[in-house]
């Protein structure tokens, strides 16, 4: 008689919903004389990966201020987080990317 088996869907639900690792499920199941349907788990995991890939947004979003059109402005270049508050001249116009530093919005154009 084969050992009782935990269905792949249950192992996947533990992983996907609660973050419970498959190897821990296998270890605990083994301690209790059970096995885990890893093929079913992997099949569901691949389906989840495909859904995640399909849901990725790859559009470029450019914000604009009231009265301006996005085509009038060049995209802001991200320069990293090395800008210090002393380098900020004042409030900049929000074009595409904003970062809050000491309650001032900075933009590459203001540096």
């Amino acid at each position: 008689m084969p050992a009782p088996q935990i269905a792949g869907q249950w192992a996947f639900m533990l992983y996907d919903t609660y973050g419970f690792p498959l190897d821990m499920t296998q270890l605990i199941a083994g301690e209790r004389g059970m096995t885990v349907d890893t093929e079913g788990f992997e099949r569901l995991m691949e389906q989840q990966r495909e859904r995640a890939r399909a849901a990725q947004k790859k559009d470029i979003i450019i914000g604009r201020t009231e009265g301006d059109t996005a085509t009038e402005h060049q995209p802001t270049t991200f320069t990293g987080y090395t800008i210090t508050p002393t380098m900020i001249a004042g409030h900049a116009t929000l074009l595409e990317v904003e970062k809050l530093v000491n309650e001032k919005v900075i933009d590459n154009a203001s540096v």
Side-chain angles (χ1 to χ4, degrees), residues 74-96:
Q74 294 296 321
T76 302
T77 304
F78 178 72
T79 58
Y81 295 106
T82 57
I83 298 173
T84 63
T86 57
M87 299 170 68
I88 302 170
H91 290 279
T93 304
L94 172 66
L95 297 179
E96 182 179 6

Side-chain angles (χ1 to χ4, degrees), residues 39-93:
E39 289 178 14
F41 174 88
E42 291 299 331
R43 184 175 56 254
L44 291 168
M45 183 64 107
E46 186 56 37
Q47 290 172 3
Q48 177 71 355
R49 286 185 192 115
E50 289 171 12
R51 284 191 300 271
R53 283 187 213 113
Q56 287 181 345
K57 287 198 174 254
K58 296 186 181 184
D59 297 332
I60 297 174
I61 300 170
I62 299 177
R64 59 184 175 165
T65 58
E66 186 176 329
D68 292 339
T69 61
T71 57
E72 294 174 0
H73 304 289
Q74 294 296 321
T76 302
T77 304
F78 178 72
T79 58
Y81 295 106
T82 57
I83 298 173
T84 63
T86 57
M87 299 170 68
I88 302 170
H91 290 279
T93 304

